[in-house]
């Protein structure tokens, strides 16, 4: 099968949260990871919010009267002499209008800003997608490395146990058991490092998806 087909078949079991916490695993393919990032990545969401604002700016710019009318009211009490007093009310409406020729440049500026923001969104989507792919396959590589080192550790432990048993039976010198113990300790150390690096890779991917 080609690499592309292999990627489509591959399902990465992604554990969110702390390793060993006993939480359920979420199966995740590369396509699902990309879709999840497209829907939830904070940088993408922020860029799309800017895009909506830019679109609103174009709608506003294309209006004949982009400014809302203003209504003002006032009242004043005045004396009516022997008849007492009264209150005068006044209501005024004002509408700001543009000087001829202003609307065209305003629309052009809003449309240019919209095009700029659209390019920003496309570029950010491309960058996020590339980062998700790198992080996804980094998780895969780290998981394979961790699994390999786990198997090496298990073999080292078996050799250590066998060496210790031969020493107890007097069939092997103590040095053989000591060397086996050193090899097992080194294998265990490498496994722990691989576990930590695998967890870090998972967190890097999770940050891109959420």
């Amino acid at each position: 099968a080609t690499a592309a087909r292999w990627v489509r078949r591959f399902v990465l079991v992604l554990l969110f949260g702390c390793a060993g916490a006993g939480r359920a695993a979420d199966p995740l393919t590369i396509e699902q990871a990309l879709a999840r990032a497209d829907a939830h990545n904070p940088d993408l969401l922020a860029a799309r919010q800017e895009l909506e604002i830019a679109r609103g700016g174009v709608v506003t710019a294309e209006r004949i009267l982009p400014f809302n009318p203003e209504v003002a009211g006032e009242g004043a009490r005045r004396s009516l002499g022997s008849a007492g007093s009264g209150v005068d009310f006044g209501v005024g409406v004002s509408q700001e209008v543009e000087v001829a020729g202003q609307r065209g440049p305003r629309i052009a500026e809003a449309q240019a800003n919209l095009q700029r923001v659209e390019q920003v969104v496309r570029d950010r989507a491309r960058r996020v997608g590339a980062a998700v792919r790198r992080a996804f396959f980094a998780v895969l590589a780290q998981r394979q490395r961790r699994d390999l080192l786990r198997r090496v550790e298990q073999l080292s432990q078996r050799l250590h146990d066998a060496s210790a048993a031969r020493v107890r039976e007097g069939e092997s010198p103590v040095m053989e058991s000591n060397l086996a113990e050193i090899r097992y300790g080194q294998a265990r150390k490498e496994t722990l490092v691989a576990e930590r690096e695998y967890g870090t890779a998972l967190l890097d991917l999770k940050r891109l998806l959420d």
Side-chain angles (χ1 to χ4, degrees):
T2 65
R5 291 177 181 173
W6 179 81
V7 168
R8 285 195 293 269
R9 288 200 303 267
F10 173 72
V11 176
L12 173 64
V13 177
L14 183 60
L15 293 176
F16 290 125
C18 298
R23 297 180 59 183
D26 297 327
L28 191 72
T29 65
I30 183 62
E31 290 84 1
Q32 290 170 337
L34 291 169
R36 184 164 177 169
D38 186 71
H40 301 288
N41 181 268
D43 290 339
L44 271 179
L45 294 179
R48 286 173 181 152
Q49 182 64 33
E50 294 177 9
L51 181 59
E52 291 303 314
I53 294 174
R55 286 171 176 165
V58 172
V59 172
T60 300
E62 290 177 344
R63 293 175 182 170
I64 301 297
L65 295 176
F67 309 105
N68 294 323
E70 297 182 0
V71 180
E74 60 181 11
R77 183 178 296 278
R78 64 186 179 86
S79 175
L80 299 177
S82 60
S85 63
V87 179
D88 292 333
F89 294 99
V91 177
V93 178
S94 62
Q95 172 67 60
E96 185 176 353
V97 297
E98 294 178 314
V99 177
Q102 285 185 335
R103 182 168 178 264
R106 178 165 47 81
I107 294 175
E109 181 181 358
Q111 291 176 340
N113 181 62
L114 175 59
Q115 293 175 356
R116 180 190 63 80
V117 176
E118 287 175 341
Q119 292 175 355
V120 169
V121 172
R122 285 193 294 269
D123 181 67
R124 195 162 299 178
R126 178 184 60 81
R127 291 175 181 271
V128 169
V132 169
R133 290 184 179 89
R134 287 194 299 269
F136 185 92
F137 289 108
V139 170
L140 171 59
Q142 291 295 342
R143 190 182 71 170
Q144 291 176 330
R145 179 172 179 269
R146 180 208 61 181
D147 292 346
L148 175 61
L149 289 174
R150 278 180 174 178
R151 290 194 291 271
V152 172
E153 179 189 347
Q154 291 170 356
L155 291 174
S156 297
Q157 185 176 16
R158 291 175 185 174
L159 291 173
H160 171 261
D161 294 343
S163 297
R166 286 195 296 270
V167 170
R168 287 193 300 269
E169 297 294 330
E171 299 177 358
S172 299
V174 176
M175 183 177 296
E176 178 182 325
S177 178
N178 290 341
L179 290 174
E181 184 175 0
I182 291 173
R183 293 191 187 98
Y184 171 66
Q186 182 63 31
R188 179 58 182 161
K189 178 181 177 181
E190 292 176 354
T191 300
L192 292 174
V193 172
E195 292 278 5
R196 183 171 62 251
E197 292 176 347
Y198 175 59
T200 300
L202 285 175
L203 290 176
D204 290 341
L205 178 57
K206 183 177 183 297
R207 280 192 287 268
L208 290 169
L209 303 186
D210 296 331

